[in-house]
Each structure stands twice: as C-alpha cells, then as structure tokens.
Amino acid sequence: AINYILDVKHNGAKTDYGRWVGGNVGLDANEIFDAFIDTKKFYNKEDGRQGYHFVISFEKGETDEQTCYQVLQDFCKEYLGDDYEYVFAVHNDTEHMHGHIVFNSLKRTDGYKYHYEKGDWKKSIQPITDTICMKHGLQSLTFEEKRVGMSYAEWSKRHNGKLNWTHIIRADIDYAIAH
C-alpha cells in the first residue's frame, strides 16, 4: 500500500514525482515501512493487521493538488496526530482529485492497536473531514455506506487480472444457477 500511494512503480508520476507527498515518518517507501515495523518490534506486536489505507476523493474539477494536499495534511494532523506514523499522497492521474493515506496500525506513543468498527467513519471521521473541507472552501465529502471493501491482496489480484478463490466460487454458483 505504501508503494502504491507513493507510485513507486512509476517513480512517483501520480504524485508529481513526490511533490504531493507528505507525512510524519519519511518520504521514502522503505524508510516509512521500516518505521512502521520498528514500532511494531518495539512493542512486540508484529502480527495482525499492519496498517490502514484511507482514500479521500473529490468531485471532478472541485479542487486542485495544493488544496487536496492541505486537506490530507490537516486530516492526518487532526485524526492521527503524533500517535500514528503516516504518509499521504495526492494522485492527479484521474479526472477527480484524490488522496491516499496509509498509517501504521499501532500507536507509536503507547503500543495500542488502532480499532476501526463499522460506522466509525460516519460517526467520528466524517465530522473531521467536513470541518476541514469547509475550512478550505470545499463541500462536505460523501461517504459511500454500501461500498464493500476488500483486502489489499484481493484488490491487487483483481487489479492485475488474476483470478482468486472468490471469482472461482462466484463462477461456480452462477453456473449452477443457470442450470
């Protein structure tokens, strides 16, 4: 996920070659990853979820890279503060401006794991994004409640055109229903 948001594959082309990257733990993918892992090792909590990936997206033509960057930076400072290691990047490779945030699943200040429950975005996170967007003259963000997330591994397999067990089971069920 860190490599993806920094666009390591294309030397950062999506981020204007690093111009639209920020965070509190470094700007190099290896440096960021090492910091995440060092925190986990320090607290002896190397298992389980390694991090979280949030996306903040705007309507086509609503904002520019600089404002999107400021929104992401303000959000990270407000929501994650100094407790979590994070990196964020604005991607300008689509018609709509959007940014990605990846943060460590473990607090660097006390070793507690971040805990996200269904409904937390609407209850806790949405009010923060709304306040920040208004501060920058933007409209409130719309949260897609019915969206179903997937693991990075599953997304990667789908994105790279490889079948996974979910595709195979779905195809088998569709075949059975048809007959």
Side-chain angles (χ1 to χ4, degrees):
I2 294 168
N3 285 339
Y4 173 75
I5 74 163
L6 296 180
D7 194 27
V8 171
K9 184 176 181 181
H10 302 105
N11 295 321
K14 293 179 185 181
T15 66
D16 200 10
Y17 302 98
R19 180 176 181 194
W20 304 118
V21 174
N24 68 356
V25 69
L27 302 176
D28 172 78
N30 292 326
E31 181 182 14
I32 296 162
F33 179 78
D34 289 345
F36 282 22
I37 297 303
D38 287 347
T39 298
K40 294 174 187 314
K41 287 180 180 177
F42 181 80
Y43 290 106
N44 197 27
K45 294 184 177 180
E46 298 172 62
D47 296 332
R49 181 183 283 260
Q50 298 299 300
Y52 286 84
H53 181 181
F54 288 174
V55 178
I56 295 180
S57 182
F58 301 93
E59 297 290 331
K60 179 182 175 183
E62 182 180 4
T63 191
D64 59 9
E65 288 97 337
Q66 179 66 39
T67 306
C68 185
Y69 181 93
Q70 289 297 318
V71 169
L72 292 171
Q73 185 175 49
D74 290 354
F75 174 80
C76 289
K77 285 180 180 177
E78 174 75 22
Y79 188 67
L80 302 170
D82 290 328
D83 289 332
Y84 294 93
E85 294 143 335
Y86 61 83
V87 62
F88 62 88
V90 174
H91 284 189
N92 59 12
D93 62 325
T94 61
E95 291 184 353
H96 67 282
M97 199 60 56
H98 65 282
H100 299 264
I101 302 164
V102 172
F103 63 97
N104 198 345
S105 62
L106 200 66
K107 274 187 174 181
R108 64 180 171 186
T109 52
D110 61 16
Y112 286 105
K113 284 256 187 175
Y114 177 83
H115 188 68
Y116 182 89
E117 291 187 19
K118 186 175 181 176
D120 280 355
W121 188 277
K122 189 174 184 177
K123 179 177 66 179
S124 311
I125 302 170
Q126 187 75 43
I128 295 170
T129 61
D130 289 348
T131 300
I132 292 168
C133 284
M134 286 189 289
K135 171 184 163 186
H136 292 283
L138 302 169
Q139 62 184 345
S140 298
L141 299 176
T142 304
F143 178 63
E144 299 174 16
E145 288 189 62
K146 295 185 180 189
R147 186 174 177 182
V148 177
M150 67 180 75
S151 71
Y152 177 75
E154 185 176 356
W155 175 88
S156 181
K157 286 178 186 175
R158 284 188 184 182
H159 186 71
N160 294 323
K162 297 177 184 171
L163 289 177
N164 64 24
W165 64 271
T166 308
H167 295 109
I168 295 168
I169 291 171
R170 188 172 288 134
D172 287 348
I173 291 171
D174 290 344
Y175 177 79
I177 290 170
H179 286 71

